[in-house]
Amino acid sequence: MYLFRGSEVAEALADCEVRVFRTSLFLLIAFAGMYSSETRAGGKNVETWRELWTRCRLAVEQSESLNVQGLHDLGQSTRRIPPLIVKGYAYPLIPGYEIFLHKWQQPGSSFVVVVEEYPGSRLSCAVQLASAASAITPNEEALFASAFLQERQTLVAAGTHEEKELDPIFSTNLGMGPIGRNENGCSVVSGLQIETGAGLDSFFSSFSAERSGCLMK
């Protein structure tokens, strides 16, 4: 029978500890990589989206200017909405109007923040995909929907918000809003709308908006 000397035992134990450490380190790096890929959602960082959308939500809910700290100003523009004309009517059923837009982007982000002002000074703020960003995938859609639902659950549990139904026009249609009106006397709705259906145009938008029917101050 072979007897191990003390030095041989010590060397064997040391070698074993090194192997265990290397294996643990490998598993830790692999886990971190998987978590990072899930959080980033293919380059569309979920936490970046959450932070930008929260800025939008708070600006509209609290009737405040958008917090643009760290954002790059992409400039302003105007979009003209033509009047709704129905044959047989002498005047437009709905008159045309203009929407004033102001866009911002966090450097290196896949998202742009779009603030829109409608007639009557109603505001909306949306986080959308930048033009250079790739189309959202079904796996990414699931990650963003899960993050939105987590935020909604937290706010509803706090007693400040309630779930709101959005028209089921996309593959994801999630909504919520504060229970009361904001300082402008407007009811506010926030939502996440995504489309990843085969054969349909890809779409991604998370928004907060003042609804029509605001009370006069």
Side-chain angles (χ1 to χ4, degrees):
M1 182 175 65
Y2 182 80
L3 297 177
F4 288 96
R5 292 193 298 271
S7 60
E8 291 177 324
V9 172
E11 290 177 2
L13 288 175
D15 181 66
C16 182
E17 289 178 351
V18 170
R19 290 176 182 272
V20 171
F21 173 76
R22 288 176 176 174
T23 301
S24 299
L25 182 61
F26 173 79
L27 292 174
L28 180 61
I29 292 173
F31 176 78
M34 289 188 294
Y35 177 79
S36 177
S37 64
E38 290 182 351
T39 301
R40 290 185 177 276
K44 304 175 188 70
N45 190 289
V46 174
E47 290 309 314
T48 297
W49 162 80
R50 191 197 305 265
E51 194 268 338
L52 293 175
W53 175 66
T54 298
R55 293 195 196 194
C56 268
R57 183 177 62 78
L58 292 178
V60 177
E61 289 182 359
Q62 299 176 4
S63 302
E64 298 177 346
S65 298
L66 175 69
N67 175 8
V68 298
Q69 182 177 0
L71 304 183
H72 176 62
D73 190 344
L74 299 180
Q76 303 179 53
S77 61
T78 302
R79 184 168 79 244
R80 174 71 181 175
I81 306 300
L84 178 60
I85 298 176
V86 178
K87 186 177 180 179
Y89 286 80
Y91 301 98
L93 197 61
I94 300 177
Y97 58 92
E98 292 183 333
I99 301 174
F100 300 97
L101 299 88
H102 199 159
K103 294 185 178 182
W104 307 80
Q105 184 174 19
Q106 188 177 68
S109 169
S110 297
F111 304 101
V112 292
V113 180
V114 183
V115 178
E116 298 183 339
E117 182 177 345
Y118 291 78
S121 299
R122 285 193 302 112
L123 295 176
S124 76
C125 182
V127 179
Q128 303 171 353
L129 288 179
S131 58
S134 60
I136 190 167
T137 67
N139 287 340
E140 293 170 342
E141 178 180 23
L143 289 174
F144 284 105
S146 176
F148 183 93
L149 289 172
Q150 289 174 6
E151 290 292 311
R152 186 173 74 176
Q153 182 179 9
T154 298
L155 293 170
V156 170
T160 59
H161 291 66
E162 60 186 355
E163 296 183 14
K164 293 191 176 182
E165 295 292 332
L166 300 183
D167 292 335
I169 55 179
F170 300 108
S171 51
T172 291
N173 306 274
L174 300 174
M176 71 172 187
I179 295 175
R181 294 175 179 265
N182 65 7
E183 289 297 320
N184 292 333
C186 300
S187 174
V188 175
V189 60
S190 296
L192 174 67
Q193 294 180 308
I194 303 175
E195 182 57 70
T196 59
L200 300 174
D201 292 334
S202 178
F203 181 78
F204 178 96
S205 180
S206 58
F207 63 89
S208 288
E210 294 177 330
R211 310 179 80 168
S212 59
C214 299
L215 300 177
M216 300 295 293
K217 290 185 178 180

